[in-house]
Amino acid sequence: MDDLLLREHAKNIRHLIIEMITSAKSGHPGGSLSAVEILVSLYFGGVLNYDPKNPSLGSRDRFFLSKGHAAPVLYSTLAEAGYFDKSGLDTLRQLNSPFQGHPDMKKLPGIEASTGSLGQGLSISVGCALGLRLKGLKSHVFALLGDGELEEGQVWEAAMAARHFKLDNLTAIIDRNNLQIDGFTEEVMSLEPLADKWLSFGWSVVELSGHDFDQIVPALLNAKKRGDKKPLVIIAHTIKGKGVSFMENICDFHGKAPSEDQAKIAYSELKECDEQ
């Protein structure tokens, strides 16, 4: 694992996220920035089997962004990986642009499902993992969920089904940044003890820092090697707005674009971080 290369990808992706949301004057920076290291680990840490030149490759691993409002991090990552050109990213949320506020599987390569209605991504992932197994394929399914999303009842129905079908080819990743659109998750609808909840549903559980490549990459690689007949959830502790000081842990930036002046500060901070 080349940590410097992973950090370079993370910096580039954060820059693209700020750039496209600032241009659109709309979007979700907080939850996009918190998930950067998770997506970089999946796509550049040697975890996912994928081919940008053949996005429908049958043997590919599948990634579902259940928290679809964080589309900018997925668009930026797929562009960085070579699925499409970065030049179109500045059309985010414009009429007829393929880069809409939520991912559209019919508009862009590399997107496995149109997501955004929270609570549905894990159900889609369970169906996909079961289907792959029935076909005798060895592909692994990863799903990224927001922690606020866990307040949706459908998540827990999917969790029960995954354990019932013994889907050890499924890994859910929780972006545990502790904030949702209305405030702190523990104030809106408390989730803790979160790990115990997943354990009680029959899942294997791993907790780690969602910004530390030394923790994330090995955990994701190990997720593909299991044969314990249990689905796995990785609770990734993150910081909403990570990398931009005036956004970090600020609920207001769940769904608010930075101004042009704020974007300049963000670019400067990302550059300073790179020079450290």
Side-chain angles (χ1 to χ4, degrees):
M1 180 178 67
D2 188 333
D3 191 68
L4 287 177
L5 184 59
L6 295 179
R7 288 170 56 189
E8 180 70 15
H9 284 305
K11 183 199 69 174
N12 293 343
I13 288 168
R14 283 199 163 88
H15 195 284
L16 290 171
I17 290 170
I18 297 300
E19 198 171 51
M20 74 172 75
I21 294 177
T22 304
S23 177
K25 297 182 173 59
S26 175
H28 293 81
S32 295
L33 293 169
S34 66
V36 169
E37 279 79 11
I38 296 169
L39 266 72
V40 167
S41 298
L42 284 166
Y43 282 87
F44 303 102
V47 176
L48 288 183
N49 174 34
Y50 69 96
D51 182 357
K53 296 180 180 177
N54 185 9
S56 60
L57 180 70
S59 61
R60 72 189 186 282
D61 294 321
R62 272 67 165 180
F63 171 70
F64 294 94
L65 180 68
S66 188
K67 45 178 270 180
H69 58 279
V73 69
L74 180 58
Y75 296 154
S76 302
T77 303
L78 292 178
E80 183 85 352
Y83 279 91
F84 40 76
D85 196 88
K86 296 177 182 177
S87 62
L89 294 176
D90 61 358
T91 65
L92 177 71
R93 291 194 162 203
Q94 291 183 17
L95 188 64
N96 297 322
S97 169
F99 303 99
Q100 287 302 305
H102 295 84
D104 186 338
M105 63 182 292
K106 295 181 178 179
K107 299 286 180 59
L108 289 169
I111 294 176
E112 300 288 352
S114 301
T115 54
S117 298
L118 295 180
Q120 298 181 359
L122 188 58
S123 293
I124 297 170
S125 303
V126 168
C128 181
L130 182 58
L132 290 169
R133 192 176 69 187
L134 291 173
K135 290 181 178 179
L137 296 174
K138 301 298 183 183
S139 304
H140 200 89
V141 177
F142 293 90
L144 178 62
L145 291 80
D147 50 4
E149 184 180 0
L150 302 184
E151 296 167 3
E152 303 285 350
Q154 187 172 337
V155 170
W156 302 102
E157 294 178 50
M160 282 192 290
R163 179 64 182 93
H164 176 78
F165 292 113
K166 302 177 181 178
L167 298 178
D168 54 10
N169 61 338
L170 170 65
T171 297
I173 308 164
I174 308 300
D175 183 0
R176 186 69 171 117
N177 59 39
N178 297 294
L179 278 169
Q180 57 163 270
I181 191 169
D182 292 321
F184 289 97
T185 57
E186 296 314 289
E187 295 175 355
V188 177
M189 180 66 73
S190 59
L191 297 171
E192 297 297 342
L194 186 55
D196 289 344
K197 287 185 170 70
W198 287 96
L199 287 168
S200 71
F201 273 73
W203 287 54
S204 296
V205 179
V206 170
E207 287 195 73
L208 47 71
S209 165
H211 299 304
D212 186 344
F213 289 122
D214 289 335
Q215 295 185 42
I216 308 169
V217 173
L220 293 172
L221 289 171
N222 288 332
K224 297 179 65 175
K225 300 175 182 175
R226 295 173 302 114
D228 58 1
K229 306 300 182 186
K230 289 182 178 181
L232 169 69
V233 61
I234 295 175
I235 300 174
H237 295 277
T238 63
I239 297 172
K240 199 152 189 166
K242 174 68 175 177
V244 180
S245 62
F246 58 85
M247 288 187 181
E248 289 190 354
N249 285 321
I250 302 299
C251 181
D252 200 29
F253 279 104
H254 173 93
K256 188 181 80 170
S259 67
E260 293 285 351
D261 288 341
Q262 288 175 323
K264 291 177 183 176
I265 296 172
Y267 299 144
S268 176
E269 290 183 353
L270 292 175
K271 184 178 179 181
E272 289 174 4
C273 181
D274 187 51
E275 292 173 347
Q276 288 176 356

